[in-house]
Amino acid sequence: MAIMANTIKEIRKNEGKENVLLLDAGDTFGDDQLANITRGAAIIQMMKLLEYDFMALGNHDFDYGRQRTKELQTLAGFAFGGANIIDKETGKTFLDHPFLIKEISGIKLGIIALGYHNSLLTGNKANMQGLNFVPGDKVLKKHLPLLSAKTDIIIILSHQGTAVDRITAKKFDDIDLIIGGHSHDIISGPEKINGTYLVQALSDAAVIGEVKLHLHNHKLQYAHAKSHLLWTDKHQADSKMQSLITSLRKPHLEELEEKITVAKETIGRQYKSESPCEKLIGNLLREHFNAEIAFLPGVGYGISLNGTVTSEDIYRLLPHPSKIVRLNLTGKQIKSILEQTDTNQKPGEKQEVVGGLLQSSGISYMLDYSQPSGNRIGEVKVNGKGLELHKKYKIVTHSGMLNGLHRYDVFQRGKKY
């Protein structure tokens, strides 16, 4: 964040601060131990210092509950939006900021924020109680005509993920730019689809995406984009931001910097394939709880572990509090879980993609995406022996999976041991 602050300062200096908008496509409050300790306040204070203009609400921006999200917006002093996040009780947009209209040098920009339509499948549903997450295209049909009449440029600030953003660009003709999030892609280029420019700036404050809009007669002619990769050995930290970070960390240093272990080799995290980090965690869980199989969700955030590993390093990989669960599941139920992970990745409709590949330990299988859903899993073995459909196996996982995270409802049919 300190390096990001300095990069933003340089861009504002070069372009004129009055000509620059600072936007975020969501998932900002958590995924960090200091954020968890302060229930999002530490990150919001940093964002406030950076003077953000607008932010789309990501699925993990509800990790401390909807009331806390509301409190954090008050603390921030800038708007959080999600035109497709509806309060069931009032029928209105949650926090009442579906879009932002901003005028720069006589040009009116309309920025519509979209949250993740599958948010209820990616976190604790109790934290999002009373909210309805609808597909973005449904609300765009309402908001686009209204904003097009009032503004010169239409921007979508999206936490839908790249695959859905591409569908949106094809479906609607009057969108000038989509600034994406959620799928953690790096798209500078920018990509152009149906006259709409598409960009995304990775995740975890590793990249600042800069987009310049070139206009003539109040109409977009073209967009130029680039990614600023924030390598810590190549950029200076902003002293003011560093001072704030130091003060926020100071009361919690002992907890944050507790040394847990040493990684003699780099332990990385994968998202769409087997993950060394999750394999290690799964092995530890199986050993400690005498289980045959460990299952963990596929997630796409966090750092690689290398050298001394502290408490906050672990929290960056496992930031969402959950409890360990031990279950007996039949071989048939286990095969159904494996079929669910292949469906999650290749469901047919791109809007239905959710989560990464199910992470596992103690089990091996073949996954063939060329086959139709339901027939993609084969050669399943548990600790080297063929899976027996009627046999009960000892499983260790966590409470998120038990609650149906990423559509893994089968865990709810297991018996605790």
Side-chain angles (χ1 to χ4, degrees):
M1 292 290 278
I3 288 172
M4 189 169 80
N6 200 48
T7 305
I8 291 167
K9 185 183 288 185
E10 289 175 358
I11 293 171
R12 284 171 169 161
K13 182 180 178 181
N14 293 336
E15 303 297 332
K17 186 177 178 180
E18 70 281 2
N19 296 320
V20 177
L21 281 173
L22 183 57
L23 309 171
D24 197 293
D27 276 4
T28 62
F29 306 155
D31 292 0
D32 178 88
Q33 190 172 11
L34 181 61
N36 279 358
I37 291 169
T38 61
R39 298 178 67 232
I43 305 299
I44 285 299
Q45 285 175 264
M46 297 177 207
M47 294 179 77
K48 186 175 183 178
L49 183 59
L50 287 171
E51 298 182 64
Y52 269 83
D53 291 285
F54 197 36
M55 185 189 91
L57 284 165
N59 46 307
H60 288 298
D61 291 322
F62 295 93
D63 282 351
Y64 310 116
R66 57 176 287 180
Q67 181 57 35
R68 182 57 173 168
T69 303
K70 189 175 182 179
E71 292 168 0
L72 289 172
Q73 181 178 247
T74 302
L75 174 64
F78 62 88
F80 306 162
N84 58 334
I85 305 174
I86 310 300
D87 188 319
K88 292 180 182 178
E89 187 175 336
T90 65
K92 296 181 179 180
T93 304
F94 177 64
L95 299 184
D96 203 27
H97 295 294
F99 55 79
L100 173 74
I101 295 177
K102 193 86 172 180
E103 185 170 333
I104 297 177
S105 300
I107 303 297
K108 289 185 178 179
L109 299 97
I111 307 159
I112 303 174
L114 294 177
Y116 184 45
H117 51 286
N118 286 327
S119 288
L120 291 170
L121 298 173
T122 63
N124 187 340
K125 293 178 183 178
N127 290 335
M128 297 172 267
Q129 191 170 7
L131 296 178
N132 188 23
F133 296 80
V134 303
D137 59 354
K138 290 187 176 180
V139 297
L140 287 179
K141 289 176 182 177
K142 170 187 173 183
H143 291 298
L144 280 174
L146 296 173
L147 280 189
S148 295
K150 295 179 179 179
T151 62
D152 303 300
I153 299 294
I154 298 289
I155 299 171
I156 306 299
L157 188 59
S158 165
H159 200 82
Q160 299 181 111
T162 301
V164 179
D165 288 340
R166 287 174 176 146
I167 293 170
T168 300
K170 290 176 183 177
K171 198 168 187 177
F172 298 95
D173 297 329
D174 42 2
I175 299 170
D176 294 293
L177 172 68
I178 298 177
I179 300 172
H182 182 67
S183 50
H184 300 187
D185 296 317
I186 182 165
I187 305 171
S188 49
E191 198 171 308
K192 191 176 183 183
I193 301 171
N194 189 31
T196 297
Y197 291 94
L198 178 69
V199 295
Q200 192 174 150
L202 204 63
S203 64
D204 305 306
V207 170
I208 283 289
E210 181 183 1
V211 187
K212 290 185 181 181
L213 303 180
H214 299 262
L215 294 89
H216 180 69
N217 290 333
H218 290 222
K219 297 294 181 183
L220 182 65
Q221 298 300 299
Y222 65 96
H224 173 76
K226 62 180 177 179
S227 297
H228 299 268
L229 277 66
L230 305 181
W231 298 108
T232 55
D233 60 343
K234 295 181 180 179
H235 292 270
Q236 288 186 333
D238 177 69
S239 58
K240 195 172 181 180
M241 178 63 79
Q242 190 61 63
S243 178
L244 173 62
I245 293 169
T246 299
S247 67
L248 291 169
R249 289 174 57 83
K250 188 175 180 180
H252 313 288
L253 273 184
E254 186 176 351
E255 186 176 355
L256 296 171
E257 297 181 358
E258 178 190 1
K259 292 181 180 179
I260 305 298
T261 188
V262 174
K264 293 184 178 180
E265 297 179 3
T266 299
I267 305 170
R269 164 168 278 172
Q270 304 298 330
Y271 183 40
K272 300 292 185 181
S273 59
E274 282 195 296
S275 169
C277 173
E278 269 69 22
K279 187 70 73 178
L280 172 62
I281 295 166
N283 289 342
L284 291 169
L285 287 171
R286 284 197 303 123
E287 180 182 346
H288 188 80
F289 292 101
N290 192 30
E292 294 162 278
I293 305 171
F295 284 124
L296 293 166
V299 291
Y301 48 74
I303 60 170
S304 296
L305 300 177
N306 198 351
T308 300
V309 179
T310 65
S311 177
E312 64 182 333
D313 291 332
I314 300 295
Y315 264 81
R316 288 180 186 130
L317 292 164
L318 304 168
H320 311 301
S322 57
K323 295 181 179 180
I324 292 169
V325 174
R326 293 176 288 171
L327 301 169
N328 281 315
L329 292 174
T330 67
K332 185 177 181 180
Q333 289 170 328
I334 290 167
K335 190 151 188 279
S336 177
I337 288 167
L338 299 179
E339 288 170 349
Q340 185 62 59
T341 198
D342 81 59
T343 301
N344 284 350
Q345 302 310 297
K346 301 282 186 179
E349 295 292 333
K350 290 183 178 179
Q351 292 95 327
E352 298 302 314
V353 172
V354 62
L357 184 75
L358 179 72
Q359 299 298 321
S360 59
S361 169
I363 189 169
S364 64
Y365 58 95
M366 295 294 292
L367 197 166
D368 185 355
Y369 282 127
S370 68
Q371 298 300 315
S373 183
N375 294 296
R376 295 170 176 168
I377 302 296
E379 299 183 32
V380 185
K381 294 181 179 180
V382 178
N383 298 311
K385 296 181 180 179
L387 180 75
E388 299 178 41
L389 295 182
H390 298 291
K391 180 180 175 180
K392 290 184 178 179
Y393 294 88
K394 289 183 177 180
I395 310 297
V396 61
T397 184
H398 69 56
S399 52
M401 304 297 278
L402 189 64
N403 292 331
L405 187 76
H406 297 173
R407 298 197 187 98
Y408 293 113
D409 299 328
V410 175
F411 286 102
Q412 297 172 4
R413 302 177 208 160
K415 303 292 183 184
K416 293 183 180 181
Y417 71 89

